[in-house]
Amino acid sequence: ADCGTVTATFEITADDDCTSVDDLDVTWEFSTGLSGTGFTASGDFLNGSYSVTFTVDDQCGNSVTEVHNFTVVDAKKPTPVCIFGIATTVMPSSGSVTISASDFESGSSFDNCTAYEDLAFSFSQDVNNTEIVITCDDIPANGLVAVDLYVTDEAGNFDFCSTFISVQDPNFVCPNPAALITGTIENEFQEVIEEVTVTLSDDNGAMTLPVVTGPTGVFQFNETYGDYDVTPEKDINYLNGVTTYDLVLISKHILGIELLDSPYKMIAADANNSQSISALDLVKIRALILHLEDEFTNNTSWRFVDQDYVFPNPVNPWQEDFPEYIGLTSTAVPANFTALKVGDVNGSASPNSLLGSDTRTFSGNLALQLEATKVAEGETFTVDFKAKDFIEIAGYQFTLGFDQDAVDFVEVTSNLQGLGSDNFGLAKLEEGAITTSWNSSKGINVEDNTVLFSMTFLANTTVSTAEIFTINSRYTESEAYNGTDLFDVVLEFNGNIVESVFELYQNTPNPFKEETMISFNLPQASAVTLRIMDVSGRTLKLIKLDDAVKGMNSVSLTRDEFNATGVLYYQLESADHTATMKMIIVD
């Protein structure tokens, strides 16, 4: 299974005119030096060429030798894993598009003997057939071109998976007798939105396979003329772009201090989908930030509005029902949409992979001061989190990490204005994490050494408080806000900042059905490898990140990438550290 050894067994028969079979002396030796006696020779061998020599002696001094050559070869096919459907655009200059076989490979194809980088990807059994050119004549009416991706190992074994490519023609390069339904999905800042599932339907329901937008945010359908509805959907990664800073801005809007300046931001602030903005929306968004809830129960992660729609009253976008789909009676009209991320009112959500993840730049640190003390086993103790340079702070959020084997959480009390039990998330106590989020409609000043909040724990063993507590971004990202400036939240024990460490966290949610997030913390920026394995240690997916940042990093995964169920393992490797965790996929 891992290109290791295989057991090879050989048997001979022998007889003699004068010596009975039981009295024959039989010895054998493999070319590796392994030897033994008897009519059966057996050994374990790697790939390669070998021989086995049998020698038979009778009781009269006669001897016969037989040599048998054999070869151990890799005859196991590789396992191809395709990307199911990608989108591309016909080039105006050539009227065609060139596609590489590697474009369809997910990064998870594997073989028992050949390393991933030595696998060959092609469109046929010919390993040199690595590119195809799709012209206008090759594009069917629905725009979906079927392809087979062949994966070949170094021994010449191959297997294939089938997928398709959605060839789009937004510039009308190809003469098309059919109706062209095309559009672009972008946010109010003209950033295109990736991974939007667009469905075309008529009175009888969905008509074709949905189209998923790529990094260009473009979708396209080719159909006969008729009446259709075009509906976009994206309901993943609810926390994308949602932070306590959004709560700061929504609070100011509710109090009339600083109004949200677009109808899209107001719709995004309506987390509970009540067609209004109230303190209940703050509760819903904070529950998401604290990981008390994984989604908005009465809303979706993204909402969409017909790009041509003009709000009759921009300060009340719910005055009438705004169109979240486009009904087409003339299919030559573009079906463009404006997308908004629910809960994100400052536009920090990552819209597509071309822009990458948001790399946060901090203007400084907001330090919480603690006393480093020794605590005896069985002792109940309280840790005071004190202010330092707490000047004009309008909000903060972070994850407090603690050693759940060493201490048990008892309770939390607070002194900071507007900070109560609802500002702490205790859903992850068994994993050694407490989430917190606090905000104010205006900047707050707190004198140094003032206790902001206190936490009480029970020690299960003799501990040092400086060794069991950390602030990180495991669940809720560590950050604080002073006006428009962003600060990192750090712990100081007796004036010394606790440095970041290498940590691999439990995926969330776990167990999961469709999608999960794996997060890890790095003490400095470096290249890392994330490997997903089954219980036998077989690699199902390999992800190489050359630009993982210092601090918190996250990778989103879907079950379609594994083609597996049950218990899996994931392993994170850097130049200096390795960590492994277990996760579970359920049906």
Side-chain angles (χ1 to χ4, degrees):
D2 297 319
C3 201
T5 58
V6 64
T7 300
T9 303
F10 304 92
E11 295 183 356
I12 65 165
T13 60
D15 59 74
D16 185 73
D17 292 337
C18 299
T19 303
S20 68
V21 173
D22 292 339
D23 291 330
L24 292 175
D25 293 327
V26 182
T27 60
W28 51 263
E29 183 176 5
F30 287 103
S31 54
T32 59
L34 178 66
S35 61
T37 61
F39 288 88
T40 302
S42 182
D44 295 332
F45 302 90
L46 296 167
N47 286 347
S49 297
Y50 307 91
S51 65
V52 58
T53 302
F54 281 93
T55 301
V56 183
D57 295 304
D58 64 13
Q59 297 300 314
C60 301
N62 301 303
S63 180
V64 175
T65 297
E66 286 284 347
V67 178
H68 179 69
N69 298 312
F70 64 95
T71 305
V72 178
V73 298
D74 171 25
K76 181 178 173 62
K77 295 180 180 180
T79 300
V81 183
C82 286
I83 295 175
F84 186 70
I86 62 174
T88 189
T89 302
V90 176
M91 296 293 102
S93 58
S94 62
S96 64
V97 60
T98 301
I99 305 298
S100 296
S102 58
D103 294 337
F104 292 91
E105 205 284 313
S106 64
S108 297
S109 298
F110 59 89
D111 182 70
N112 62 320
C113 290
T114 301
Y116 174 82
E117 55 268 21
D118 294 324
L119 292 173
F121 306 110
S122 59
F123 288 113
S124 68
Q125 296 178 30
D126 181 357
V127 295
N128 296 312
N129 184 17
T130 59
E131 291 186 344
I132 56 173
V133 178
I134 300 175
T135 66
C136 291
D137 293 336
D138 300 321
I139 305 173
N142 63 3
L144 303 180
V145 178
V147 295
D148 292 330
L149 173 68
Y150 283 76
V151 181
T152 306
D153 66 15
E154 290 178 314
N157 304 303
F158 66 86
D159 203 350
F160 69 90
C161 52
S162 299
T163 182
F164 66 89
I165 181 170
S166 174
V167 184
Q168 302 171 356
D169 185 22
N171 298 307
F172 304 100
V173 175
C174 299
N176 193 347
L180 183 67
I181 302 171
T182 185
T184 303
I185 301 178
E186 57 187 23
N187 60 22
E188 63 176 317
F189 311 107
Q190 287 74 57
E191 296 171 328
V192 294
I193 311 299
E194 190 175 13
E195 295 186 287
V196 180
T197 300
V198 186
T199 303
L200 185 69
S201 58
D202 60 12
D203 292 340
N204 296 318
M207 299 178 58
T208 62
L209 287 173
V211 173
V212 180
T213 60
T216 63
V218 175
F219 66 90
Q220 177 179 307
F221 297 96
N222 295 299
E223 292 294 335
T224 57
Y225 284 90
D227 296 341
Y228 305 112
D229 289 338
V230 182
T231 307
E233 295 177 311
K234 184 174 182 179
D235 198 27
I236 60 175
N237 196 1
Y238 277 72
L239 267 175
N240 183 10
V242 180
T243 68
T244 301
Y245 189 59
D246 295 300
L247 298 180
V248 173
L249 298 178
I250 296 172
S251 296
K252 290 182 177 181
H253 176 88
I254 293 173
L255 295 174
I257 298 172
E258 182 179 335
L259 298 180
L260 299 173
D261 59 7
S262 80
Y264 304 107
K265 293 176 182 176
M266 284 185 273
I267 297 170
D270 179 20
N272 66 352
N273 199 15
S274 65
Q275 299 191 353
S276 65
I277 303 173
S278 69
L280 294 177
D281 297 304
L282 300 178
V283 172
K284 285 292 184 183
I285 296 173
R286 195 183 308 279
L288 192 71
I289 294 171
L290 295 178
H291 286 263
L292 300 176
E293 297 181 4
D294 295 324
E295 59 185 30
F296 298 125
T297 54
N298 196 39
N299 212 336
T300 54
S301 180
W302 290 77
R303 302 281 295 275
F304 303 89
V305 181
D306 182 349
Q307 197 173 88
D308 293 332
Y309 179 71
V310 178
F311 289 92
N313 183 3
V315 299
N316 182 11
W318 307 280
Q319 181 174 322
E320 63 179 37
D321 292 335
F322 49 85
E324 296 192 71
Y325 70 93
I326 295 178
L328 298 178
T329 55
S330 170
T331 52
V333 178
N336 299 324
F337 290 89
T338 299
L340 56 98
K341 176 66 184 63
V342 176
D344 171 31
V345 298
N346 70 329
S348 62
S350 177
N352 59 68
S353 58
L354 292 178
L355 292 180
S357 58
D358 182 25
T359 56
R360 300 178 299 165
T361 301
F362 295 115
S363 300
N365 292 333
L366 173 64
L368 302 182
Q369 295 183 309
L370 282 74
E371 297 283 341
T373 58
K374 294 283 188 180
V375 182
E377 180 180 354
E379 181 179 345
T380 299
F381 65 99
T382 298
V383 179
D384 293 328
F385 292 77
K386 299 178 181 179
K388 179 182 179 182
D389 297 329
F390 201 100
I391 301 172
E392 292 296 315
I393 301 298
Y396 64 71
Q397 62 175 46
F398 59 85
T399 303
L400 177 71
F402 65 94
D403 186 343
Q404 68 272 29
D405 295 325
V407 297
D408 291 330
F409 173 81
V410 177
E411 65 176 357
V412 58
T413 58
S414 61
N415 295 322
L416 181 62
Q417 177 183 343
L419 181 66
S421 59
D422 292 342
N423 297 92
F424 295 89
L426 306 179
K428 307 296 182 181
L429 285 178
E430 292 185 358
E431 300 173 31
I434 298 173
T435 55
T436 184
S437 164
W438 166 85
N439 67 280
S440 173
S441 59
K442 61 181 180 178
I444 299 295
N445 295 320
V446 178
E447 292 185 5
D448 286 355
N449 297 316
T450 300
V451 175
L452 301 173
F453 59 91
S454 302
M455 289 188 178
T456 301
F457 295 86
L458 172 64
N460 297 321
T461 185
T462 301
V463 297
S464 170
T465 56
E467 296 175 354
I468 60 173
F469 295 110
T470 61
I471 280 182
N472 56 59
S473 300
R474 177 177 179 181
Y475 290 107
T476 300
E477 290 194 348
S478 165
E479 57 186 45
Y481 322 101
N482 176 333
T484 58
D485 290 333
L486 188 66
F487 291 85
D488 192 12
V489 184
V490 298
L491 278 186
E492 282 191 4
F493 281 96
N494 299 343
N496 297 315
I497 294 178
V498 178
E499 296 296 333
S500 182
V501 295
F502 179 93
E503 288 185 279
L504 176 63
Y505 301 121
Q506 184 66 57
N507 63 302
T508 57
N510 185 55
F512 71 98
K513 289 185 177 181
E514 300 297 335
E515 184 178 23
T516 193
M517 184 80 70
I518 294 176
S519 299
F520 55 92
N521 192 80
L522 298 180
Q524 62 269 331
S526 67
V528 297
T529 299
L530 181 63
R531 188 186 308 271
I532 313 299
M533 302 170 291
D534 63 15
V535 291
S536 69
R538 181 170 61 110
T539 299
L540 303 180
K541 186 174 181 64
L542 190 69
I543 302 172
K544 295 183 178 180
L545 301 174
D546 296 327
D547 54 355
V549 300
K550 177 182 179 180
M552 193 66 175
N553 296 262
S554 296
V555 176
S556 179
L557 300 170
T558 62
R559 71 175 300 157
D560 296 337
E561 300 177 62
F562 310 130
N563 191 27
T565 189
V567 176
L568 300 179
Y569 293 89
Y570 57 97
Q571 183 180 76
L572 182 71
E573 299 176 60
S574 70
D576 304 315
H577 302 87
T578 301
T580 303
M581 299 284 286
K582 181 171 68 175
M583 64 182 178
I584 301 173
I585 302 179
V586 295
D587 292 324

